[in-house]
Amino acid sequence: MLDQQLADLRLTYAQRTLSEADVLPAAVPQFRAWLDEALAAHLDEPTAMTLATVDEAGQPSARIVLLKGLPDDAGFLFYTNYDSRKGKNLAARPLAALTFFWPGLERQVRVEGRVEKAPADLSTEYFQSRPHGSQVGAWASPQSQPIESRQQLEQLERDVEARFAGQQPLPRPENWGGYILRPHRVEFWQGRPSRLHDRIVYELAGADWQRSRLAP
C-alpha cells in the first residue's frame, strides 16, 4: 500500500548546474574544490561520509565516518579501530565506497576504490592530536563487540584513565589507525529541476582520469 505522506515528500533542486567545462582534470582535486565550497557554506558535518564495505560472504554494510584528509590529492583518509566490523571487512575485501551528501548545495559525490592502511607514523600523529577523551575512548572501546552494559563501558574508560594517569598524549593502540581509499571511480552529482540531474563521472584509465556525463 502506498504511503502517500512519504510519496509526496520531494524538493526541487535548482541552485546550480554542472557541466564538463566546470570540472578539473583529476577527480580528487575536483572533490577538494567542492569540499572547500561545502566548508565555506558552513554546512553541518561537511566531512561526514557513508562508508560501505563488504564481508567475506558478500554482505554489505554501511556507516557514517569522517574524512580526515586527502593525501597527495590521490586518496581519501579516515580512521577507525582495525578490529571493528568495517576493519574486518576491509581486511577480507579491501574495496569500499564512499558517499558524501551536501543537501545545502544540492550535491552528492560517490567514490569507489581500493583501501590500504595509512602509514603508521601518520596514524600516530593524528591519534596523538585528538582530544584526550577521544584517545581514552579508542583504548577503552572494543568497537563492534558485544558489551554487557553502559556501565561496563564506563568502567573500561576509568581503567584506561588509571592505566595512563598523568600521561599525555597517550600511545596509539596497535589496533587503531588510518585507511586510505585510492579511488578508481568518482561521480559528481548536482541536483537539477524535474529530476534531470547533472552527473559527471571520472574513471581511472592507467594513470589518467577519463570524464563522461551520465543520464540522471
Side-chain angles (χ1 to χ4, degrees):
M1 181 176 178
L2 179 65
D3 188 327
Q4 196 64 49
Q5 184 178 9
L6 293 180
D8 288 343
L9 289 174
R10 61 177 55 85
L11 295 174
T12 296
Y13 299 130
Q15 288 189 26
R16 294 171 171 80
T17 63
L18 178 64
S19 74
E20 293 82 344
D22 296 330
V23 296
L24 298 171
V28 181
Q30 175 59 41
F31 174 82
R32 184 183 290 274
W34 268 26
L35 177 61
D36 287 344
E37 290 186 41
L39 293 168
H42 302 291
L43 302 182
D44 291 339
E45 297 286 12
T47 61
M49 57 189 186
T50 301
L51 166 66
T53 58
V54 179
D55 67 14
E56 289 181 287
Q59 173 62 51
S61 61
R63 74 290 289 161
I64 304 296
V65 299
L66 297 180
L67 177 69
K68 291 298 180 181
L70 298 167
D72 304 320
D73 272 346
F76 295 75
L77 173 66
F78 61 94
Y79 293 91
T80 191
N81 185 313
Y82 294 145
D83 295 332
S84 64
R85 185 181 182 189
K86 56 184 153 327
K88 290 177 179 178
N89 286 358
L90 291 172
R93 293 190 174 188
L95 298 170
L98 306 172
T99 303
F100 296 83
F101 182 47
W102 299 313
L105 298 177
E106 300 175 351
R107 285 176 172 172
Q108 177 182 216
V109 183
R110 299 169 61 194
V111 184
E112 299 171 16
R114 191 166 189 86
V115 179
E116 62 192 45
K117 283 186 176 179
D121 57 348
L122 180 61
S123 292
T124 298
E125 180 182 8
Y126 173 71
F127 180 82
Q128 295 186 334
S129 74
R130 302 174 84 206
H132 176 74
S134 297
Q135 295 179 40
V136 171
W139 275 98
S141 175
Q143 191 175 119
S144 301
Q145 304 304 311
I147 56 174
E148 293 179 2
S149 64
R150 178 73 192 187
Q151 288 71 29
Q152 181 190 8
L153 184 62
E154 291 171 354
Q155 183 59 56
L156 290 169
E157 181 184 36
R158 288 191 292 271
D159 292 345
V160 173
E161 289 280 21
R163 176 182 175 185
F164 294 108
Q167 188 170 343
Q168 182 63 19
L170 274 58
R172 176 176 64 89
E174 291 185 2
N175 67 339
W176 191 98
Y179 288 102
I180 300 173
L181 185 148
R182 303 290 185 185
H184 56 247
R185 190 178 195 277
V186 183
E187 180 190 321
F188 296 86
W189 178 99
Q190 179 68 61
R192 297 294 304 277
S194 302
R195 297 299 186 259
L196 295 177
H197 310 302
D198 288 327
R199 298 173 65 189
I200 303 293
V201 64
Y202 290 71
E203 295 182 283
L204 198 58
D208 299 320
W209 287 101
Q210 296 182 346
R211 290 171 290 169
S212 56
R213 175 175 286 272
L214 302 178

